[in-house]
Amino acid sequence: GAPAAEKFLKKMENMNIAGNNSTKPNLVSFTTCIDAYANNGEPKHADRILRWMEDSFRNGNIDAKPTARSYTSVLNAWSASGRRDSGQFAEKILSRMEKLHEAGDEHMKPDTRTFNALINAYSNSKDR
């Protein structure tokens, strides 16, 4: 499950820090872990992995650059959660994407899938 995926993501990172460059977590490693939590209905954990991914990229791991799909996976997790506040949390994810796009990252431009996920988060929330 998702906790095991995260355990191995952490192991990859620790091995990389110890000098094994062939285990550096990348886009696929992080996004797969995000998807695992999203599929388990655990949006807070999916968002935590996305933040870890963002930090890894900011700290020099260019292979861990989040994509719009990474953010949309977290939006989908919020949408599927049915939580009362899922729309509000999803909107914060969208805001992070928009800030990155406004800062010049063309790949972070929200698209129809992004907005559909946000709309679903609000429509599926308990606070309709």
Side-chain angles (χ1 to χ4, degrees):
E6 182 177 356
K7 178 179 114 178
F8 284 104
L9 181 63
K10 187 68 175 168
K11 182 174 183 167
M12 289 174 68
E13 183 180 67
N14 289 338
M15 290 172 67
N16 181 53
I17 290 168
N20 185 346
N21 292 332
S22 66
T23 63
K24 181 169 43 171
N26 62 17
L27 169 67
V28 174
S29 310
F30 280 105
T31 304
T32 301
C33 196
I34 289 168
D35 287 342
Y37 278 116
N39 292 336
N40 271 3
E42 299 180 76
K44 284 190 175 187
H45 290 297
D47 188 37
R48 183 174 47 76
I49 301 298
L50 177 60
R51 289 179 186 276
W52 176 10
M53 184 180 192
E54 291 169 334
D55 290 343
S56 183
F57 176 68
R58 272 193 299 274
N59 290 327
N61 181 356
I62 60 170
D63 296 326
K65 184 178 191 293
T67 63
R69 185 201 177 293
S70 307
Y71 286 83
T72 301
S73 291
V74 177
L75 287 170
N76 286 328
W78 283 110
S79 174
S81 74
R83 289 177 43 137
R84 174 176 314 267
D85 53 1
S86 63
Q88 295 165 345
F89 278 103
E91 202 166 342
K92 289 177 184 178
I93 301 295
L94 174 67
S95 178
R96 283 165 42 201
M97 282 183 75
E98 289 175 328
K99 285 178 185 170
L100 290 166
H101 180 253
E102 289 165 7
D105 189 339
E106 274 302 309
H107 300 296
M108 282 298 149
K109 183 177 183 178
D111 60 14
T112 301
R113 283 177 286 183
T114 307
F115 282 99
N116 285 344
L118 178 63
I119 291 166
N120 282 331
Y122 272 110
S123 68
N124 293 337
S125 73
K126 292 181 179 154
D127 190 29
R128 296 180 205 186

